């Protein structure tokens, strides 16, 4: 096999041109995201980069996922998946940014530079897996990715419409020679459902727990895949899917529910009475739970709640089977202060805080024997070290332990199988939540009663250039503009239990302002004052931030 890099440039120039008017874009935690009309040349170049990445990683399979996750329908995006299901290595994020932003005339030179710098032999095989979400423009953009891979004579496996977590799973299975599971949709579903049914046992309802869940699929791929799960669950969990064939993420889905703090449109009337609902996002890597109480008040159980529920249950199981393992929980600055206090002081589990972005949480979670990480938006998972798996497996067959200890260790092994360790997975996480609620005999009222969230508000401030704001200390402290952090601190001091920080978006010229305080009114006022401070000090554009209704 011989690769002619000149053909890469020629093909791009003829079929996947970059217009001179195209603005530079940056590869971030979510990869590249933009309006779908702007992404054809980006997709082609990411196909090229994926083939190069495979060769740089000894011809292991690399994933390319085409999705804009929770973004509106007109957007799309692309991100690369590394050999063990991880996000793309940070050093290669810069290579991706550089490759996408060069002119067509410089593309051949840029590819050659990557090959030289990374010691890539283009005579070696390259394997790339491609998946996409349900957006109407995803098939066309997928074709551009495939063309980029084929231009470098890579081998393509197209999985069609899949959730983002499924593609992460396929990559991991393939590169571990199926040790993690079978790299097919059937293999993915069977692994999760087999573990779920074993954990659930013969009784589907107990105490306050009822075997009925209402599932908002955000009109995305998660709704399609859940319909397949329902058939295989065969009543072990009764799920009613809604929002399955409309505009993706429009007034529904995990991000809508979390941001607007209200139920999605399309929620069946009986769901309000039943009391247990969840929403995933467009590519099914986030999940949040919620219910409306007898007085019509909406209650959200987000990623913080999911983390505490799962971590607490795991801690109990570890203690019961007598295995000595270090468990830790990883959060971001967006985690509610009440959840952090509950985890540290009541659950006695160590907490680490990282920068926003799942790649940062995932990396930190690897430092523990069992690392639980969730963003407040509902994206997260659990990672079990080889040491943890070996210890639990040994305990499950250790005749010196009691029968109850061995059974508990076996249950822990099923929990491991039910977890998609590669990335946050809305379906896997949902089944984990249902497992714990069932085991405890809890409804959502019981879950909510574990601690009381501090009221919090999330605001957006539009800027001429988001890069004027830089932050440090896990996104909690502003470095520039000079003096802005001191002014934020002065405002925060006026509010009991006040906390606020600002963080520039990675994809658009906005800054997000988070605020929490002892009352909803105080949290709203705090967010209003900080947002207007940022507007004045950091070059706000458009309408000045208004005070949100309490």
């Amino acid at each position: 096999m011989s690769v002619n890099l000149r053909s890469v440039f020629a093909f791009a120039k003829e079929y996947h041109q970059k217009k001179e008017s195209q603005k530079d874009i940056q590869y971030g935690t979510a990869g590249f995201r933009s309006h779908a009309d702007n992404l054809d040349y980006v997709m082609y170049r990411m196909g090229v980069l994926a083939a190069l990445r495979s060769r740089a990683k000894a011809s292991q399979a690399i994933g390319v996922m085409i999705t804009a996750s929770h973004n509106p329908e007109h957007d799309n995006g692309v991100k690369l998946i590394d050999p063990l299901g991880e996000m793309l290595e940070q050093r290669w994020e810069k290579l991706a940014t550089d490759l996408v932003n060069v002119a067509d005339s410089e593309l051949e030179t840029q590819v050659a530079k990557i090959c030289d710098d990374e010691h890539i032999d283009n005579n070696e095989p390259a394997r790339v897996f491609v998946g996409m979400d349900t957006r109407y423009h995803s098939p066309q953009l997928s074709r551009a990715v495939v063309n980029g891979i084929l231009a470098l004579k890579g081998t393509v496996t197209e999985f069609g419409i899949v959730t983002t977590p499924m593609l992460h799973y396929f990559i991991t299975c393939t590169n571990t020679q199926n040790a993690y599971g079978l790299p097919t949709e059937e293999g993915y579903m069977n692994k999760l459902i087999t573990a779920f049914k074993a954990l659930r046992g013969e009784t589907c309802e107990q105490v306050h727990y009822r075997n009925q869940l209402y599932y908002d699929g955000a009109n995305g791929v998660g709704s399609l895949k859940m319909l397949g799960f329902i058939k295989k669950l065969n009543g072990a969990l009764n799920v009613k899917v809604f929002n399955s064939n409309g505009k993706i993420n429009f007034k529904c889905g995990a991000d809508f529910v979390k941001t607007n703090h209200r139920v999605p449109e399309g929620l069946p009337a009986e769901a309000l009475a039943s009391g247990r609902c969840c929403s995933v996002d467009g590519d099914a890597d986030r999940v949040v739970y919620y219910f409306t109480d007898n007085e019509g008040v909406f209650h959200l159980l987000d990623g913080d709640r999911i983390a505490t529920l799962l971590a607490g249950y795991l801690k109990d199981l570890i203690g019961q089977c007598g295995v000595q393992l270090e468990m830790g929980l990883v959060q971001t600055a967006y985690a509610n202060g009440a959840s952090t206090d509950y985890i540290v002081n009541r659950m006695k589990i160590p907490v680490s805080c990282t920068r926003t972005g799942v790649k940062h949480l995932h990396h930190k979670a690897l430092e523990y024997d069992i690392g639980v990480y969730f963003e407040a938006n509902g994206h997260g998972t659990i990672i079990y070290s080889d040491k943890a798996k070996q210890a639990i497996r040994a305990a499950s067959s250790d005749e010196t332990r009691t029968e109850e200890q061995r059974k508990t260790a076996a249950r822990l092994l099923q929990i491991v199988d039910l977890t998609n360790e590669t990335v946050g997975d809305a379906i896997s996480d949902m089944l984990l939540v249902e497992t714990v609620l069932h085991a405890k005999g809890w409804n959502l009222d019981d879950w909510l009663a574990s601690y009381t969230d501090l009221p919090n508000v999330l605001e957006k401030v539009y800027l001429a250039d988001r890069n004027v704001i830089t932050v440090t200390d896990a996104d909690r402290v502003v470095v520039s503009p000079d003096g802005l952090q001191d002014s934020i601190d002065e405002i925060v001091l006026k509010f009991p239990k006040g906390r606020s920080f600002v963080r520039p978006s990675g994809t658009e010229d906005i800054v997000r302002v988070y605020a929490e305080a002892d009352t909803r009114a105080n949290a709203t006022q705090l967010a209003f004052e900080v947002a207007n401070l940022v507007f004045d000090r950091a070059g706000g554009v458009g309408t000045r931030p208004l005070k949100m209704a309490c």
Side-chain angles (χ1 to χ4, degrees), residues 382-397:
I382 308 165
I383 304 174
Y384 311 88
S385 68
D386 289 340
K387 171 190 170 183
K389 292 175 185 176
Q390 290 165 8
I392 296 166
R393 190 170 292 110
S396 70
S397 58

Side-chain angles (χ1 to χ4, degrees), residues 504-522:
S505 167
T507 56
E508 52 186 326
D509 283 323
I510 64 171
V511 167
R512 292 183 172 87
V513 175
Y514 177 88
E516 65 183 31
D518 60 332
T519 65
R520 179 76 179 174
N522 278 342

Side-chain angles (χ1 to χ4, degrees), residues 471-501:
V471 294
T472 188
D473 189 19
D475 299 332
R476 293 175 291 189
V477 176
V478 175
V479 175
S480 62
D482 188 46
L484 178 58
Q485 184 61 53
D486 290 337
S487 297
I488 292 172
D489 292 342
E490 289 177 11
I491 295 173
V492 168
L493 286 173
K494 299 190 302 183
F495 298 90
K497 297 186 179 179
R499 183 169 73 92
S500 183
F501 66 91

Side-chain angles (χ1 to χ4, degrees), residues 117-129:
D117 291 348
E118 301 300 322
H119 310 293
I120 294 170
D121 182 355
N122 275 314
N123 292 311
E124 293 298 318
R127 292 190 297 166
V128 183
F129 291 179

Side-chain angles (χ1 to χ4, degrees), residues 39-108:
L39 288 173
D40 180 81
Y41 77 98
V42 174
M43 296 291 177
Y44 176 78
R45 295 178 186 204
M46 286 302 95
V48 169
L49 191 71
L52 295 175
R53 182 63 174 165
S54 177
R55 290 187 174 118
K57 301 299 286 185
S59 299
Q60 293 184 93
I62 296 295
V64 180
M65 185 66 199
I66 299 159
T67 182
S69 187
H70 57 278
N71 281 35
E73 185 178 50
H74 56 69
D75 287 346
N76 217 318
V78 58
K79 50 189 171 184
L80 269 58
I81 302 169
D82 261 358
L84 291 179
E86 323 99 309
M87 302 290 185
L88 181 65
E89 180 186 335
Q90 194 163 354
R91 190 170 58 82
W92 275 67
E93 290 182 7
K94 184 178 186 310
L95 298 185
T97 299
D98 292 344
L99 182 64
V100 161
N101 290 325
V102 298
D104 283 343
S105 59
E106 300 170 24
L107 182 58
E108 179 185 345

Side-chain angles (χ1 to χ4, degrees), residues 267-292:
L267 182 70
E270 73 252 32
L272 294 176
S274 83
R276 198 164 82 253
C277 309
C278 74
S279 289
V280 305
D281 63 335
D283 66 335
D285 62 3
R286 298 181 180 186
V287 62
V288 296
Y289 274 71
Y290 49 92
F291 71 102
T292 302

Side-chain angles (χ1 to χ4, degrees), residues 252-303:
C252 62
D255 188 63
F256 175 86
V257 173
K258 170 67 175 171
T259 302
N260 294 281
H261 212 76
R262 65 183 179 92
V263 300
E265 292 196 359
L267 182 70
E270 73 252 32
L272 294 176
S274 83
R276 198 164 82 253
C277 309
C278 74
S279 289
V280 305
D281 63 335
D283 66 335
D285 62 3
R286 298 181 180 186
V287 62
V288 296
Y289 274 71
Y290 49 92
F291 71 102
T292 302
D293 65 23
N294 293 332
E295 297 178 356
V297 178
F298 173 84
H299 297 281
L300 176 68
L301 297 111
D302 60 10

